[in-house]
Amino acid sequence: GAVVSQHPSWVICKSGTSVKIECRSLDFQATTMFWYRQFPKQSLMLMATSNEGSKATYEQGVEKDKFLINHASLTLSTLTVTSAHPEDSSFYICSAQAPDHRDRSLNYGYTFGSGTRLTVV
Amino acid sequence: GQQLNQSPQSMFIQEGEDVSMNCTSSSIFNTWLWYKQDPGEGPVLLIALYKAGELTSNGRLTAQFGITRKDSFLNISASIPSDVGIYFCAGQLTTDSWGKFQFGAGTQVVVTP
């Protein structure tokens, strides 16, 4: 249980184009999803919090017009990197939070997707 | 900015040895999570801690929520080669909304046969 599917697992795009990354909760409804960015050998940095049916909350320093987040359903959130540049190359990871996050079963804790390696050339 | 100090940054140990790592902060947390991340993969939750003083085990893993609520440790007993990876602590500040976590910088664990 508590599987989060992230797609694609890797993508290479040309500078100036846009890329969409999908995050799906497969067997539970995720009222909240989180998007993180991770540079090589560094920790995860929270970019934004995505709430179903409402606007995302962005962390300080994250450009909301560049990183568009849509959480149109309880099982899907998307991150679109617009007008991508080489400095946007990174590992992007989503996590999903089930309503019963206090369930002591690890399966319904904070579950991460497998990540998307974005390379902008 | 990052408010968690995770140490050590890396550990090189022999198979069978125990591993210990910790996270400390000057801030108070109400939840601590420990994750393991393999290269090119997303983090996998190992242990979740919700109460100060709580000691929780998951197989060979044991983690504790510090009494002061400002720290947590993770122990791995009798390490095996598959324990190789990067271990992250994550804490939720009492001042943050539910689900918003700060991550430590990670501890790289290398196990040699």
Side-chain angles (χ1 to χ4, degrees):
Chain A
V3 177
V4 176
S5 173
Q6 190 170 339
H7 179 81
S9 56
W10 60 271
V11 58
I12 301 173
C13 71
K14 290 184 177 181
S15 186
T17 61
S18 295
V19 174
K20 180 184 286 187
I21 302 170
E22 293 186 348
C23 182
R24 294 181 183 272
S25 56
L26 296 186
D27 53 357
F28 67 99
Q29 293 183 330
T31 52
T32 304
M33 291 186 176
F34 303 90
W35 287 95
Y36 293 83
R37 185 173 181 175
Q38 187 178 33
F39 291 105
K41 298 186 178 182
Q42 293 191 25
S43 187
L44 287 77
M45 295 300 294
L46 180 65
M47 298 174 65
T49 302
S50 171
N51 295 299
E52 187 268 337
S54 63
K55 291 183 179 180
T57 302
Y58 290 82
E59 295 301 301
Q60 190 173 9
V62 178
E63 299 176 58
K64 61 181 180 181
D65 294 330
K66 181 168 188 60
F67 298 101
L68 300 179
I69 292 173
N70 184 277
H71 194 157
S73 76
L74 286 171
T75 59
L76 173 65
S77 176
T78 60
L79 169 68
T80 301
V81 183
T82 63
S83 187
H85 291 285
E87 57 266 29
D88 297 325
S89 299
S90 188
F91 193 53
Y92 292 88
I93 311 173
C94 69
S95 72
Q97 183 184 106
D100 52 348
H101 52 72
R102 285 270 183 174
D103 190 325
R104 288 306 179 105
S105 165
L106 291 182
N107 288 335
Y108 284 90
Y110 298 89
T111 307
F112 281 84
S114 56
T116 297
R117 172 72 60 193
L118 170 64
T119 303
V120 184
V121 298
Chain B
Q2 191 157 294
Q3 303 185 43
L4 294 182
N5 298 308
Q6 185 170 350
S7 65
Q9 185 176 7
S10 61
M11 301 187 71
F12 293 81
I13 59 173
Q14 285 194 322
E15 185 175 357
E17 290 183 340
D18 296 344
V19 176
S20 184
M21 62 194 78
N22 68 80
C23 278
T24 61
S25 174
S26 57
S27 302
I28 295 176
F29 292 83
N30 57 27
T31 302
W32 284 98
L33 306 176
W34 284 94
Y35 287 91
K36 181 185 180 217
Q37 185 178 28
D38 292 325
E41 298 289 330
V44 175
L45 182 64
L46 300 173
I47 292 179
L49 303 163
Y50 298 109
K51 296 180 181 178
E54 181 178 356
L55 182 70
T56 298
S57 293
N58 178 12
R60 294 179 295 105
L61 306 174
T62 302
Q64 184 162 29
F65 194 143
I67 290 291
T68 64
R69 299 171 66 187
K70 296 181 179 181
D71 62 330
S72 176
F73 73 74
L74 174 71
N75 287 340
I76 306 173
S77 62
S79 59
I80 59 178
S82 62
D83 290 333
V84 167
I86 302 178
Y87 293 78
F88 290 100
C89 64
Q92 179 176 293
L93 292 168
T94 55
T95 53
D96 275 337
S97 58
W98 183 256
K100 184 175 177 180
F101 283 85
Q102 311 281 336
F103 277 79
T107 295
Q108 171 83 57
V109 173
V110 177
V111 181
T112 56

